[in-house]
Amino acid sequence: MCTKNITGMILALLIILGISFCMESTSTMVARQLRVEYKENPVIDELAPRFSWILEDEVRGQYQTACQILVASSADLLEPGEADFWDSGKMKSGIMSQVIYQGESLQKNEKYYWKVRCWDKNNNPGTWSNPATFEMGLLSNADWQAKWIGYDMIHLGKGKIYHLPPAPYLRKKIELQGDIESARLYVTALGLFEFIINGEKVGEDYLNPGWTNYHKRVNYQAYDVTNHLMEGTNSLASILSYGWYAGYVGYALLAGLPQVKGFYGDVPKLLAQLEVVYANGEKGYFVTDGSWKASKGPLLETDLLEGETYDARKELTGWDNPGYDDSKWAAVTEYAAPDIEIQIHPGMPIRALERIRPVKITKRPEGYIFNMGQNFAGIIELKVKGKAGEKVVLKYGEMLHPDGRLMTENLRMARATDTYILKGDPEGETWQPRFTFHGFQYVQLSGYGSEPDLETLTGLVLSCDHPVTGFLETGNSMINQLFRNINWTQLANFLDVPTDCPQRDERLGWTGDAQIYVKSATLNRDVASFFTKWIVDLNDDQWETGAYPNFAPTPYIRPKYDFSPGWTEAGIICTYHIYKSYADKRIVEKFWPNMEKFMDFYEKRSDGNYFFKEASFEDIIPKGGFGDWLSIGKKTPPDLIATFYYGFCAQMMAEMAETTGKSDRAAHYREVFDKVKHGVLSHYTDSDGKFTCNESAYGDGSGYIAGELGFTGHTQTAYANAIYMNFYSPEEEMKAGEYLVELIRQNDGKLSTGFLGAKPLLPALSRTGHSDVAYDLFLQTEYPSWGFEVMNGATTVWERWNSYTHEEGFGGERNAGMNSFSHYAFGAVCEWMFGNAAGIKIASPGFNTITIRPEPDQRLGFLNSSYKSISGEIVSNWKYVDNGFSMEVKVPVNVTASIYVPVGSADNIMEGGIPATRAEGLKYLGMDDGYAIFDAGSGHYSFVVDK
Ligand code: BGC
């Protein structure tokens, strides 16, 4: 071999070595579930959108050390060095949610492609994710060339009690000159709309554009309608309804208020803009304007609360197709553009999430009663065959009277009735209402000439289309049903705003209910975008005083400036939980001034005392506000509760200030909390640390909710809140826990809390070492308890502990009307189910660090749970096995956990077959309160504890 060859070979070897030295090995870690502003492939109007993803990898202890995001105007350009809008380069960052876009300025109507790759703990890059997209909608009011149009038929509303005018039908013929490359429809209404192109409904959504304070804002929808259109003549059409804008809202009719409907306007109006891109690159714009035509149609009555009447004989056959002759139709009215913001809808649309078959039909003198087997919110689809003019009337109820009659007393003035008049089609007729919804399990059908069967009705479950995040199952069927009931109740009440109930003449976004339940809501479904939307509503309707209203949006059903402690704090509490659950600092920044204004309001109301002494809220209606609404027995002073909430908000404000870099404000609010704490404990506790109050300050209690029962500070609600809201030193807290347990024992082992006391009750017991008592209450099946309603056949959560009892039925005069069977407030026990029973606790925003500390109880046998957090799926399962106890935990990639394994000593815990103290990825930290604590990175861990 010549020297030249040897030199060549050495050189080649060196090159190969060099290359492999320079080449990073690749990681198995991959990013999935790419989301922009909380949604997959959305249309947005945010100029600095936030990107989120989750990571998957089987390697234990895996995490992200860097990431690279590419954003391009076409899928082809989605390569490093080519991405024309943003190539972030390798960003050293462990953050995988809410990563703010920093590229070229994003343009209206444009679609963007993006992907991400992340470097793992060894600084090895993972593979690129699959590409995802986002699209910019219209970005400001100036981008709308369309005009607001409507057709005034108010005078056609008739009826003594309800004034229900028909639905306007609108249409317009358009010509498209050439091949269509793509087409987008931007559309909204003041009122409700369905949009139809060439006879086909656009999208699958219901009740668009949802409810906002229409005096300030309306949300729009964007649809890709490329496949709806064709070259040549096309028709654009729409049916409008009155909805929250012009229809009946809340209980104004019941209360006999001067204004009962039309809180924002009378005539529903449509705003629509179709933007077509032709194959040759030219663009065409088609908008609503005075050239549209209008008519009355078969939808004779249409109202959210009262229902619809549809006369199929009056159908305008072919009206929504291009060939229709609309020469006899009226011209629409063009309206001046209102001075309000028009924004893309931040939330998820309302959709028919499930179709439900009836389980039973019972014939009664007044009609056939269909049992749908499940209480839910939504509509029905009706299938009938009969003579023209047959009038089928559908009434809805949640319960039946013991004699089998439909119970409608609790609907109060909500007529909740749909009527369908047959056209007599020999092939049969199918109909569903469009612009209403009902809360029901039973449907009474009358007026049908034929015998109905189980095919006659189908239930359509309407709710915002939120991805499911929480799963929980135990060895106890009552608890499993309770969890299902909580979920069904959330579905029934998350229709664009979080409502108290879906059936009676109320359905308002009560702030107290929402603040109590928000954390539970996040655990069951991904409600980030829902609350992003509703927190805007809440701030839009914040009073000038700084108080947040009793419900949002706020039509003036109650007096202006109305508020109640326990309700008014929703502006702080809901914002805090959205920040905390989804690492959303932007929402904190956005509403920071509003939240400060609220805190100032409370400070002023406290007269510089930083607590509220008895009777501080005599000036509001009802006196003291709603207090511990629906509690049992003597009332907790509402002023004491208000003080707890004041301190609770101060703590949240301090944390939110800190996280957004306002350390002086953080210090201020910590100080406020200290003052509140001191104020409440010195004013409201006796020398033994028992809560007490000056009962005489409330006189005979008149004007207060259930004031006739008297007031005392020594209640379950008082201790539960004080513990939950961190008012105590560790010693004081233990003592308060004892008082709480004592009160439960004195009450025959039962709870006595209302809305504000029930949520913190079990967490407070657990926190003070009384998990067993928490389980006693949780597993209780006698009145009052969560189990009581389940054992009485509930399929949703009831408003009252005694919404129904065998002895008193629906409570007679006392609560027949005020008695919803689908009220999520008491469902806030879900927070304890996940946080304590399953032990999944958030430790830092976005679940970036977590604590898994289950509280097992033999009575459940086992518990399996999972939560799909914004940082990935967390699993916590535990089970009693023959010789001990087993526990499965999954920690998502890029998340660290403190895992608490309940056990006598650390020596008898095995993980994956080896002593846990030596298992890969686990670091044993020591024992605390009977738990062995391990630090863990990502991975699946199976612990077995030999007892
Ligand atoms: C609602 C409640 C609400 C309350 C105020 C009721 O009518 O249904 O859930 O919070 O009023 O006390």
Side-chain angles (χ1 to χ4, degrees), residues 412 500-501 504 506 510 512-513 567 626 629 755 799 818 823:
R412 300 192 313 208
D500 55 336
C501 57
R504 66 176 174 235
E506 193 144 6
W510 282 96
D513 308 45
W567 275 248
F626 304 112
W629 181 245
F755 275 24
E799 177 173 18
M818 189 70 176
H823 235 74

